[in-house]
């Protein structure tokens, strides 16, 4: 019976999943703690202010896309292949717009927070970094999410079980990587 | 989808600025001690995962009719106990890993310091996760929302912010 499930059973079942995401988290943390990233944090005021919001909204945007895709597949209204289907393209376009709008919004709010805390900060620079990082993460997350969910579904995996771990793991690791790339890319121009 | 998601995401990102501002305040400490910078995403990510597991287990119990918001409920006790056990295990591993990687990246913090910070803040956070998950599931149920939809985003966001606050409170005390 469910209620008899002892703490030890739950512990044993959950530990592997937690350890996998732990490794991903350590990887993200290692990039955050690496020499180039620390140099980037130091040179651009506001990176630490915006990074938690940036990482958290990746999960929100692409997690909801994943949830929509799996519901669509379960209901049979989305075919598990890339077609000209309106539902599929609407969901993908909507999450792309969500991701970009929110990224720019985060840059503006981070700038206001910096201003309020009395520190400097360059609005154009922060918006540029968020646009580049948001765009890179959109391209990666949309293509990987759609591919993995469709291929998984065709092979008999329940997309509900794949989407969550996939989004958090990819979002955290690549969120930090893209943030670093964006800092350097924008640094070339501003 | 855009019209409903954007305000929600915007509100969440404003909330996340709390943790961002705390990080910014500790910028110097973080930049000189890469081990601590490593701890940030791992701690909040793990707390979010623990919260998600607990919330989805508790919401399933709610749907099965075995959830009762009481300390002597065996199902709540075993689930909470498992999450606390997972927290202690994982945050010990995290402490050792963050210390080792921090060393490789040129940090000078000792193993005892990093392990103490990771274990104390992680355990406090795990206790917090259990309390928040229990409250979120029962509140969601009482307000008539399906806890499957509401609790995970709430708990992961609350954990992100509280995780950073607890981590830096502990860092301030230990260092």
């Amino acid at each position: 019976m469910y209620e008899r499930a002892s703490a030890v059973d739950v512990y044993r079942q959950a530990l592997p999943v937690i350890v996998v995401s732990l490794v991903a988290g350590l990887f993200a943390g290692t990039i955050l703690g690496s020499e180039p990233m620390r140099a980037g944090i130091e040179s651009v005021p506001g990176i630490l202010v915006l990074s938690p919001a940036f990482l958290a909204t990746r999960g929100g945007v692409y997690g909801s896309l994943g949830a929509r895709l799996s519901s669509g597949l379960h209901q049979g209204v989305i075919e598990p292949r890339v077609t000209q289907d309106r539902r599929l393209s609407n969901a993908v376009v909507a999450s792309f717009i969500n991701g970009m709008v929110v990224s720019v919004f985060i840059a503006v709010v981070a700038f206001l927070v910096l201003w309020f805390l009395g520190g400097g900060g360059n609005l154009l620079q922060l918006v540029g970094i968020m646009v580049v990082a948001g765009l890179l993460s959109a391209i990666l997350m949309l293509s990987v999410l759609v591919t993995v969910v469709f291929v998984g579904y065709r092979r008999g995996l329940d997309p509900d079980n794949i989407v969550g771990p996939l989004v958090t793991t990819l979002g955290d690791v690549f969120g930090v990587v893209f943030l670093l790339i964006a800092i350097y890319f924008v640094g070339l121009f501003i | 989808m855009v019209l409903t998601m954007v305000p929600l995401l915007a509100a969440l990102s404003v909330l996340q600025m709390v943790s961002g501002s705390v990080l910014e305040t500790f910028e110097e400490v973080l930049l000189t001690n890469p081990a601590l910078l490593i701890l940030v995403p791992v701690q909040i990510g793990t707390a979010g995962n623990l919260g998600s597991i607990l919330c989805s287990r508790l919401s399933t119990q709610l749907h099965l009719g075995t959830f009762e918001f009481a300390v002597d409920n065996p199902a709540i006790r075993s689930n909470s106990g498992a999450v606390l056990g997972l927290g202690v295990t994982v945050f010990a591993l995290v402490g050792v890993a963050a210390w080792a990687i921090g060393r490789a990246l040129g940090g000078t913090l000792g193993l005892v310091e990093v392990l103490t910070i990771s274990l104390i803040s992680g355990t406090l956070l795990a206790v917090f996760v259990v309390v928040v998950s229990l409250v979120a599931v029962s509140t969601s149920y009482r307000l008539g929302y399906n806890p499957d939809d509401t609790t995970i985003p709430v708990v992961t966001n609350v954990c992100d912010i509280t995780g950073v606050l607890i981590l830096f409170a502990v860092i301030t005390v230990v260092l």
Side-chain angles (χ1 to χ4, degrees), chain A residues 2-3 5 7 10-11 15 18 21-22 25-26 29-30 32-33 38 48-49 53 56 61 64 68 98 102 105-106 113, chain B residues 1-2 5-6 9-10 16-17 20-21 24 31 37-38 42 49 57 61 66 78 82 85-86 89-90 94 97 101 105:
Chain A
Y2 185 82
E3 56 265 76
V10 181
Y11 181 93
L15 195 59
I18 296 276
S21 81
L22 175 72
L26 278 173
T30 306
L32 202 57
R38 279 186 282 156
L48 286 177
V49 177
V61 170
S64 69
R68 267 170 189 266
N98 281 339
V102 170
F105 179 80
I106 289 170
V113 169
Chain B
M1 189 178 169
V2 174
M5 285 292 287
V6 166
L9 292 167
Q16 293 283 349
M17 291 293 159
S21 312
E24 186 81 0
L31 291 177
L37 211 44
I38 296 165
V42 188
N49 283 329
R57 295 190 69 88
Q61 281 180 5
T66 54
S78 63
L86 283 168
T89 314
V90 168
V94 166
I101 301 171
L105 292 174

Side-chain angles (χ1 to χ4, degrees), chain A residues 38-155:
Chain A
R38 279 186 282 156
I41 294 171
E42 219 156 5
S43 66
V44 182
I47 292 301
L48 286 177
V49 177
L50 55 76
S51 54
F54 177 70
L55 295 179
T57 48
R58 295 311 90 186
V61 170
Y62 301 107
S64 69
L65 173 68
R68 267 170 189 266
L69 289 179
S70 29
S71 305
L73 287 168
H74 280 305
Q75 291 171 317
V77 293
I78 291 182
E79 287 283 303
R81 57 182 64 87
V82 181
T83 52
Q84 295 274 337
D85 179 53
R86 276 207 86 77
R87 279 176 202 270
L88 176 63
S89 56
N90 281 350
V92 168
V93 170
S95 54
F96 179 78
I97 297 173
N98 281 339
M100 295 312 289
V101 170
V102 170
S103 300
V104 174
F105 179 80
I106 289 170
V108 176
V109 180
F111 176 75
L112 292 176
V113 169
L114 278 182
W115 177 75
F116 188 74
L117 293 176
N122 180 336
L123 181 60
L124 197 62
Q125 192 182 31
L126 293 177
V127 171
I129 290 171
M130 280 292 91
V131 167
V132 173
L135 190 64
L136 290 173
S137 53
I139 294 168
L140 177 97
M141 296 300 285
L142 290 174
S143 47
V144 173
L145 202 58
V146 171
T147 311
V148 172
V149 167
F150 282 3
V151 172
Y153 185 78
R154 288 208 296 264
R155 303 222 168 130

